[in-house]
């Protein structure tokens, strides 16, 4: 049985609503998906998405909370972010985004 189908539908709905609840979150997901092999800094994410830092912080926090994005600490001060490709819901969202051509280069 598909892992998503085995989950409580309310839990899946909540995760999806939080994950794709804003244009900024979709842009962050697309930006990170465009460079799946590497983690991106907040600065790079700001430049790739056009999202101001205060909104970027809020959107990253939401994506971190549901486990769609992981934080990678390269030092005490340098934090980078990458997609959590072990999250089945995120993988389905990525499949959909790619199928409709939603990308950020």
């Amino acid at each position: 049985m598909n892992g998503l189908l085995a989950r409580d539908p309310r839990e899946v709905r909540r995760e999806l609503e939080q994950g794709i609840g804003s244009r900024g979150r979709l842009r962050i997901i697309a930006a990170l998906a465009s460079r799946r092999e590497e983690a991106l800094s907040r600065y790079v994410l700001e430049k790739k998405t056009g999202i101001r830092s205060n909104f970027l912080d809020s959107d990253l926090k939401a994506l971190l909370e549901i486990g769609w994005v992981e934080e990678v600490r390269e030092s005490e001060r340098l934090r980078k972010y990458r997609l959590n490709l072990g999250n089945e819901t995120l993988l389905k969202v990525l499949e959909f985004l790619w199928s409709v051509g939603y990308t950020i280069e």
Side-chain angles (χ1 to χ4, degrees):
M1 176 179 255
N2 183 324
L4 287 179
L5 295 177
R7 291 177 51 197
D8 181 343
R10 292 174 298 212
E11 179 185 323
V12 174
R13 185 171 50 246
R14 182 198 60 75
E15 183 179 340
L16 282 170
E17 288 169 353
Q18 186 171 350
I20 58 176
S22 76
R23 178 177 24 175
R25 291 179 201 158
L26 284 173
R27 287 182 180 180
I28 291 168
I29 291 165
L32 292 172
S34 73
R35 312 267 289 280
R36 284 186 301 278
E37 302 304 316
E38 61 184 291
L40 303 179
S41 68
R42 285 179 63 254
Y43 176 79
V44 171
L45 284 170
E46 282 182 51
K47 296 302 176 201
K48 287 181 75 64
T49 63
I51 302 169
R52 291 189 311 227
S53 63
N54 57 329
F55 293 111
L56 182 71
D57 289 341
S58 173
D59 286 335
L60 276 172
K61 181 180 177 192
L63 293 169
L64 286 162
E65 284 176 359
I66 60 172
W68 286 15
V69 170
E70 300 173 321
E71 183 179 86
V72 178
R73 286 190 177 235
E74 294 195 353
S75 70
E76 180 67 29
R77 298 185 66 203
L78 182 58
R79 299 175 186 182
K80 291 188 175 183
Y81 302 90
R82 68 176 172 220
L83 293 178
N84 175 8
L85 298 177
N87 184 297
E88 192 172 349
T89 306
L90 173 63
L91 292 177
K92 297 292 185 187
V93 170
L94 289 173
E95 285 177 25
F96 169 73
L97 294 176
W98 290 325
S99 73
V100 297
Y102 187 92
T103 61
I104 291 182
E105 295 304 321

